[in-house]
Amino acid sequence: NCSCKAECLRNMSCCEDFSVRCAQLIPTTMVTTVLATTTPPVQDCIAAAGGGLCEVIRPEFACQCNANCASTNSCCPSFPQSGCKPVVMPTQSCVAQGLANQCNAVNTSFSCQCDAGCTNAAADSQFVCCPDFNTSVCVPTVPTVAPTTAMPTLCANEGCDFSDTSSDCRCDTACEAMGDCCQDWGPVCVRNQTQAPRPWCA
């Protein structure tokens, strides 16, 4: 014999459809009190599947058989062998999303995403990148910065006595022997040194 009274939760004598037909008629405080005084039994998911009760949340049991029990870590041991199946979310195509210019549209009805933020998601997150993310136009582009070209050191700017050892070249008289004369050393410094002085007007 089974019962539909709240006490059935204590002695595990509730009828199979108790949670569907009777639980809502019993005050929550009573159900809470009864549940607190006993260890909830383990639900048989195979029986639940046979009775069409997979998706019914049954608080009188210590575990559940509904499709989302895996996400809450509350599946009963018999869940994998039962007809109660977990929800399998589809995978979207980032290539298609890119062609539709919808890369940044986050859609939680899919198991993966195509927005730039998916690269920072945890491995078990619903917001991880879809398998074809890296081959799609959804991959964020990193702007390239053109390298700056340093202006060359010139004797015309530094003077013909320039001999800074931290520079890439020098303009003094020793640079020729050292092989580190600046590129305009000859035209600027050598020519000025060898050019004969012009006579002064009397």
Side-chain angles (χ1 to χ4, degrees):
N1 293 334
C2 63
S3 172
C4 290
K5 294 182 179 181
E7 288 75 12
C8 73
L9 298 172
R10 182 182 295 113
N11 55 23
M12 305 180 202
S13 62
C14 296
C15 294
E16 188 174 299
D17 60 348
F18 171 80
S19 61
V20 178
R21 298 183 178 276
C22 305
Q24 66 270 25
L25 303 177
I26 300 173
T28 304
T29 54
M30 184 182 296
V31 175
T32 304
T33 301
V34 172
L35 290 175
T37 59
T38 185
T39 302
V42 174
Q43 182 177 187
D44 182 358
C45 292
I46 297 175
L53 300 175
C54 287
E55 293 306 311
V56 177
I57 303 297
R58 307 178 73 179
E60 70 271 24
F61 290 107
C63 55
Q64 300 301 322
C65 302
N66 63 308
N68 292 322
C69 68
S71 62
T72 58
N73 198 27
S74 63
C75 294
C76 295
S78 58
F79 177 78
Q81 294 82 33
S82 71
C84 303
K85 301 297 181 183
V87 174
V88 178
M89 300 179 71
T91 299
Q92 64 178 324
S93 168
C94 293
V95 172
Q97 288 293 92
L99 293 175
N101 198 25
Q102 295 292 320
C103 289
N104 292 322
V106 175
N107 191 335
T108 54
S109 62
F110 290 103
S111 61
C112 59
Q113 302 301 324
C114 300
D115 66 302
C118 72
T119 55
N120 300 320
D124 59 348
S125 170
Q126 185 183 344
F127 298 98
V128 296
C129 300
C130 292
D132 64 345
F133 175 76
N134 289 328
T135 59
S136 71
V137 296
C138 296
V139 177
T141 56
V142 179
T144 56
V145 179
T148 56
T149 304
M151 294 296 292
T153 304
L154 299 175
C155 297
N157 298 330
E158 303 296 339
C160 291
D161 58 348
F162 178 72
S163 61
D164 188 349
T165 55
S166 65
S167 176
D168 57 342
C169 65
R170 300 188 301 175
C171 298
D172 59 357
T173 54
C175 76
E176 186 173 18
M178 299 296 293
D180 60 354
C181 297
C182 295
Q183 63 184 28
D184 65 339
W185 176 74
V188 172
C189 299
V190 175
R191 182 177 179 182
N192 289 343
Q193 291 171 0
T194 58
Q195 188 176 18
R198 296 181 180 179
W200 293 93
C201 296

